[in-house]
Amino acid sequence: MELANIKILLDAYFEGTTSLEEEKTLQDYFNNETVADDLVQYQPIFVGLKNARAERTSRAFKLPESKPKTFKAWWYSAAAMLVVAFGVGSFYFSQPHYTQEEKEALAAFEKSKNAMMLLSENLNKGAEQLTFVKQFAITKDKIFE
């Protein structure tokens, strides 16, 4: 029964679905002297994990000292505020500001422009009618010749 349980735990271990207690059970089983013949091929994995866990280094590690970044953070935030203020100010000042007299002149100009467009459209319609008169004259001349 224990061998079947170990095989099930081994399959779950390789799928990555075992809990810590189940992995401890597998480690205890494979670190013993008595391992089933069909599972001997997995024994070096668990023996290697046990040996890796026992390794210790005598090397001293020195981590680089980190400088405080408060000044840089303050400088970046101030620069960002200046950029935003410059953008908003340039947008505001780029908008045209007209006096009342200039606004009235622009309104009169728009009305004049619309009237001229209406006149131009009507003249174009009249010019189209003249092409029919010209065609009529050409046809009349051909008939009376």
Side-chain angles (χ1 to χ4, degrees), residues 3 6 18 23 36 38 41-42 50 53 70 89-90 98 126 133:
L3 185 61
I6 293 296
T18 56
E23 289 179 16
D38 58 337
Q41 62 189 0
Y42 300 113
K50 179 182 177 186
R53 193 171 289 120
T70 56
S90 65
Y98 298 118
V133 172

Side-chain angles (χ1 to χ4, degrees), residues 96-109:
H97 299 286
Y98 298 118
T99 63
Q100 186 62 30
E101 186 177 298
E102 289 172 330
K103 290 178 184 176
E104 290 173 3
L106 283 174
F109 172 72

Side-chain angles (χ1 to χ4, degrees), residues 1 14 31 37 44-45 59 78 94 96 103 120 125 130 135:
M1 179 66 183
F14 287 125
N31 287 324
D37 292 335
I45 296 171
R59 183 176 175 191
S94 69
K103 290 178 184 176
S120 173
K125 286 180 186 176
L130 286 178
Q135 185 65 33

Side-chain angles (χ1 to χ4, degrees), residues 75-92:
W75 175 252
Y76 289 144
S77 62
M81 286 190 303
L82 285 175
V83 168
V84 168
F86 180 73
V88 169
S90 65
F91 177 74
Y92 177 74

Side-chain angles (χ1 to χ4, degrees), residues 32-53:
N32 286 335
E33 296 293 328
T34 58
V35 176
D37 292 335
D38 58 337
L39 298 177
V40 171
Q41 62 189 0
Y42 300 113
Q43 190 173 11
I45 296 171
F46 293 98
V47 171
L49 287 173
K50 179 182 177 186
N51 292 339
R53 193 171 289 120

